[in-house]
mmCIF file of all heavy atoms in Angstrom:
data_model
loop_
_atom_site.group_PDB
_atom_site.id
_atom_site.type_symbol
_atom_site.label_atom_id
_atom_site.label_comp_id
_atom_site.label_asym_id
_atom_site.label_seq_id
_atom_site.Cartn_x
_atom_site.Cartn_y
_atom_site.Cartn_z
ATOM 1 N N PRO A 55 -47.205 24.442 94.577
ATOM 2 C CA PRO A 55 -47.647 23.413 93.641
ATOM 3 C C PRO A 55 -46.604 22.324 93.473
ATOM 4 O O PRO A 55 -45.432 22.524 93.749
ATOM 5 C CB PRO A 55 -47.810 24.188 92.334
ATOM 6 C CG PRO A 55 -46.759 25.246 92.432
ATOM 7 C CD PRO A 55 -46.656 25.609 93.893
ATOM 8 N N VAL A 56 -47.046 21.152 93.022
ATOM 9 C CA VAL A 56 -46.155 20.067 92.630
ATOM 10 C C VAL A 56 -46.386 19.836 91.145
ATOM 11 O O VAL A 56 -47.473 19.503 90.724
ATOM 12 C CB VAL A 56 -46.470 18.776 93.426
ATOM 13 C CG1 VAL A 56 -45.541 17.655 92.997
ATOM 14 C CG2 VAL A 56 -46.336 19.039 94.916
ATOM 15 N N ARG A 57 -45.358 20.045 90.352
ATOM 16 C CA ARG A 57 -45.509 20.013 88.904
ATOM 17 C C ARG A 57 -45.738 18.591 88.385
ATOM 18 O O ARG A 57 -45.187 17.626 88.876
ATOM 19 C CB ARG A 57 -44.265 20.585 88.250
ATOM 20 C CG ARG A 57 -44.252 22.106 88.366
ATOM 21 C CD ARG A 57 -44.277 22.672 86.980
ATOM 22 N NE ARG A 57 -44.382 24.102 87.029
ATOM 23 C CZ ARG A 57 -45.342 24.776 86.445
ATOM 24 N NH1 ARG A 57 -46.312 24.152 85.842
ATOM 25 N NH2 ARG A 57 -45.350 26.087 86.471
ATOM 26 N N ALA A 58 -46.573 18.479 87.375
ATOM 27 C CA ALA A 58 -46.781 17.248 86.625
ATOM 28 C C ALA A 58 -47.298 17.628 85.260
ATOM 29 O O ALA A 58 -47.402 18.808 84.930
ATOM 30 C CB ALA A 58 -47.729 16.319 87.372
ATOM 31 N N ALA A 59 -47.649 16.624 84.448
ATOM 32 C CA ALA A 59 -47.861 16.896 83.039
ATOM 33 C C ALA A 59 -49.250 17.383 82.683
ATOM 34 O O ALA A 59 -49.406 18.262 81.859
ATOM 35 C CB ALA A 59 -47.542 15.630 82.243
ATOM 36 N N ASP A 60 -50.304 16.816 83.268
ATOM 37 C CA ASP A 60 -51.599 16.926 82.634
ATOM 38 C C ASP A 60 -52.660 17.746 83.374
ATOM 39 O O ASP A 60 -53.558 18.283 82.739
ATOM 40 C CB ASP A 60 -52.169 15.523 82.393
ATOM 41 C CG ASP A 60 -51.322 14.723 81.423
ATOM 42 O OD1 ASP A 60 -50.871 15.297 80.429
ATOM 43 O OD2 ASP A 60 -51.105 13.534 81.696
ATOM 44 N N TRP A 61 -52.612 17.802 84.680
ATOM 45 C CA TRP A 61 -53.712 18.395 85.421
ATOM 46 C C TRP A 61 -53.203 19.325 86.511
ATOM 47 O O TRP A 61 -52.114 19.153 87.034
ATOM 48 C CB TRP A 61 -54.591 17.312 86.055
ATOM 49 C CG TRP A 61 -55.187 16.380 85.067
ATOM 50 C CD1 TRP A 61 -54.769 15.116 84.764
ATOM 51 C CD2 TRP A 61 -56.304 16.653 84.215
ATOM 52 N NE1 TRP A 61 -55.563 14.582 83.781
ATOM 53 C CE2 TRP A 61 -56.513 15.496 83.420
ATOM 54 C CE3 TRP A 61 -57.142 17.746 84.049
ATOM 55 C CZ2 TRP A 61 -57.533 15.419 82.485
ATOM 56 C CZ3 TRP A 61 -58.169 17.663 83.115
ATOM 57 C CH2 TRP A 61 -58.345 16.511 82.352
ATOM 58 N N ALA A 62 -54.056 20.289 86.858
ATOM 59 C CA ALA A 62 -53.763 21.176 87.984
ATOM 60 C C ALA A 62 -55.011 21.270 88.847
ATOM 61 O O ALA A 62 -56.090 21.574 88.344
ATOM 62 C CB ALA A 62 -53.363 22.567 87.488
ATOM 63 N N ASP A 63 -54.882 20.953 90.119
ATOM 64 C CA ASP A 63 -55.991 21.062 91.052
ATOM 65 C C ASP A 63 -55.885 22.412 91.756
ATOM 66 O O ASP A 63 -55.032 22.600 92.627
ATOM 67 C CB ASP A 63 -55.953 19.921 92.070
ATOM 68 C CG ASP A 63 -56.344 18.584 91.448
ATOM 69 O OD1 ASP A 63 -56.831 18.611 90.306
ATOM 70 O OD2 ASP A 63 -56.179 17.545 92.097
ATOM 71 N N ILE A 64 -56.754 23.331 91.386
ATOM 72 C CA ILE A 64 -56.669 24.709 91.857
ATOM 73 C C ILE A 64 -57.504 24.872 93.122
ATOM 74 O O ILE A 64 -58.659 24.435 93.171
ATOM 75 C CB ILE A 64 -57.157 25.690 90.762
ATOM 76 C CG1 ILE A 64 -56.382 25.463 89.457
ATOM 77 C CG2 ILE A 64 -57.013 27.128 91.250
ATOM 78 C CD1 ILE A 64 -54.886 25.626 89.572
ATOM 79 N N PRO A 65 -56.962 25.502 94.168
ATOM 80 C CA PRO A 65 -57.707 25.640 95.425
ATOM 81 C C PRO A 65 -58.987 26.448 95.252
ATOM 82 O O PRO A 65 -58.991 27.491 94.599
ATOM 83 C CB PRO A 65 -56.721 26.391 96.334
ATOM 84 C CG PRO A 65 -55.394 26.241 95.713
ATOM 85 C CD PRO A 65 -55.606 26.085 94.250
ATOM 86 N N ARG A 66 -60.061 25.952 95.843
ATOM 87 C CA ARG A 66 -61.306 26.708 95.944
ATOM 88 C C ARG A 66 -61.341 27.318 97.339
ATOM 89 O O ARG A 66 -61.293 26.605 98.337
ATOM 90 C CB ARG A 66 -62.516 25.803 95.728
ATOM 91 C CG ARG A 66 -62.571 25.186 94.347
ATOM 92 C CD ARG A 66 -63.682 24.170 94.240
ATOM 93 N NE ARG A 66 -64.994 24.802 94.251
ATOM 94 C CZ ARG A 66 -66.135 24.112 94.393
ATOM 95 N NH1 ARG A 66 -66.101 22.806 94.576
ATOM 96 N NH2 ARG A 66 -67.291 24.740 94.368
ATOM 97 N N LEU A 67 -61.390 28.637 97.379
ATOM 98 C CA LEU A 67 -61.310 29.346 98.648
ATOM 99 C C LEU A 67 -62.703 29.684 99.168
ATOM 100 O O LEU A 67 -63.603 29.988 98.387
ATOM 101 C CB LEU A 67 -60.493 30.626 98.491
ATOM 102 C CG LEU A 67 -59.077 30.444 97.922
ATOM 103 C CD1 LEU A 67 -58.358 31.779 97.873
ATOM 104 C CD2 LEU A 67 -58.279 29.442 98.747
ATOM 105 N N PRO A 68 -62.878 29.659 100.492
ATOM 106 C CA PRO A 68 -64.189 29.954 101.074
ATOM 107 C C PRO A 68 -64.446 31.455 101.138
ATOM 108 O O PRO A 68 -64.740 32.018 102.186
ATOM 109 C CB PRO A 68 -64.079 29.344 102.479
ATOM 110 C CG PRO A 68 -62.641 29.512 102.821
ATOM 111 C CD PRO A 68 -61.886 29.304 101.519
ATOM 112 N N LEU A 69 -64.313 32.111 99.998
ATOM 113 C CA LEU A 69 -64.523 33.545 99.899
ATOM 114 C C LEU A 69 -65.664 33.807 98.939
ATOM 115 O O LEU A 69 -65.742 33.199 97.882
ATOM 116 C CB LEU A 69 -63.263 34.252 99.375
ATOM 117 C CG LEU A 69 -61.959 34.022 100.137
ATOM 118 C CD1 LEU A 69 -60.814 34.711 99.419
ATOM 119 C CD2 LEU A 69 -62.072 34.552 101.557
ATOM 120 N N GLY A 70 -66.521 34.740 99.280
ATOM 121 C CA GLY A 70 -67.547 35.171 98.357
ATOM 122 C C GLY A 70 -67.161 36.516 97.790
ATOM 123 O O GLY A 70 -67.191 37.525 98.501
ATOM 124 N N ALA A 71 -66.734 36.561 96.516
ATOM 125 C CA ALA A 71 -66.419 37.844 95.884
ATOM 126 C C ALA A 71 -67.738 38.467 95.477
ATOM 127 O O ALA A 71 -68.396 38.011 94.556
ATOM 128 C CB ALA A 71 -65.521 37.641 94.674
ATOM 129 N N SER A 72 -68.137 39.498 96.185
ATOM 130 C CA SER A 72 -69.487 39.994 96.029
ATOM 131 C C SER A 72 -69.688 40.709 94.709
ATOM 132 O O SER A 72 -68.889 41.544 94.300
ATOM 133 C CB SER A 72 -69.825 40.954 97.168
ATOM 134 O OG SER A 72 -71.127 41.462 97.014
ATOM 135 N N ALA A 73 -70.772 40.322 94.014
ATOM 136 C CA ALA A 73 -71.240 41.066 92.858
ATOM 137 C C ALA A 73 -72.531 41.764 93.249
ATOM 138 O O ALA A 73 -73.423 41.977 92.463
ATOM 139 C CB ALA A 73 -71.474 40.134 91.673
ATOM 140 N N GLY A 74 -72.604 42.085 94.529
ATOM 141 C CA GLY A 74 -73.748 42.793 95.083
ATOM 142 C C GLY A 74 -73.249 43.859 96.030
ATOM 143 O O GLY A 74 -72.265 44.527 95.759
ATOM 144 N N PRO A 75 -73.862 43.994 97.214
ATOM 145 C CA PRO A 75 -73.449 45.054 98.132
ATOM 146 C C PRO A 75 -72.049 44.891 98.692
ATOM 147 O O PRO A 75 -71.423 45.846 99.103
ATOM 148 C CB PRO A 75 -74.497 44.954 99.254
ATOM 149 C CG PRO A 75 -75.649 44.248 98.648
ATOM 150 C CD PRO A 75 -75.070 43.302 97.645
ATOM 151 N N GLY A 76 -71.520 43.648 98.739
ATOM 152 C CA GLY A 76 -70.168 43.468 99.254
ATOM 153 C C GLY A 76 -70.147 42.545 100.450
ATOM 154 O O GLY A 76 -71.081 42.491 101.234
ATOM 155 N N THR A 77 -69.064 41.807 100.595
ATOM 156 C CA THR A 77 -68.887 40.920 101.730
ATOM 157 C C THR A 77 -67.476 41.079 102.257
ATOM 158 O O THR A 77 -66.557 41.427 101.528
ATOM 159 C CB THR A 77 -69.093 39.447 101.332
ATOM 160 O OG1 THR A 77 -68.221 39.144 100.236
ATOM 161 C CG2 THR A 77 -70.527 39.186 100.917
ATOM 162 N N VAL A 78 -67.297 40.805 103.530
ATOM 163 C CA VAL A 78 -65.980 40.890 104.151
ATOM 164 C C VAL A 78 -65.233 39.593 103.879
ATOM 165 O O VAL A 78 -65.811 38.509 103.959
ATOM 166 C CB VAL A 78 -66.113 41.135 105.670
ATOM 167 C CG1 VAL A 78 -64.747 41.158 106.346
ATOM 168 C CG2 VAL A 78 -66.835 42.454 105.917
ATOM 169 N N ALA A 79 -63.961 39.674 103.530
ATOM 170 C CA ALA A 79 -63.154 38.500 103.230
ATOM 171 C C ALA A 79 -63.058 37.590 104.445
ATOM 172 O O ALA A 79 -62.952 38.049 105.580
ATOM 173 C CB ALA A 79 -61.772 38.926 102.771
ATOM 174 N N LEU A 80 -63.075 36.272 104.190
ATOM 175 C CA LEU A 80 -63.011 35.280 105.249
ATOM 176 C C LEU A 80 -61.661 34.587 105.246
ATOM 177 O O LEU A 80 -60.759 34.961 104.512
ATOM 178 C CB LEU A 80 -64.143 34.260 105.053
ATOM 179 C CG LEU A 80 -65.555 34.841 104.993
ATOM 180 C CD1 LEU A 80 -66.551 33.732 104.684
ATOM 181 C CD2 LEU A 80 -65.921 35.530 106.286
#
């Protein structure tokens, strides 16, 4: 990260955390 005062842009990862039968991590 690069620190600053007001905002943080958090990475969105192309992973589906399954709340069903399950998925393999990508």
Side-chain angles (χ1 to χ4, degrees):
V56 180
R57 284 242 175 237
D60 296 319
W61 300 101
D63 288 349
I64 305 301
R66 297 173 71 192
L67 305 182
L69 305 176
S72 179
T77 55
V78 177
L80 304 175

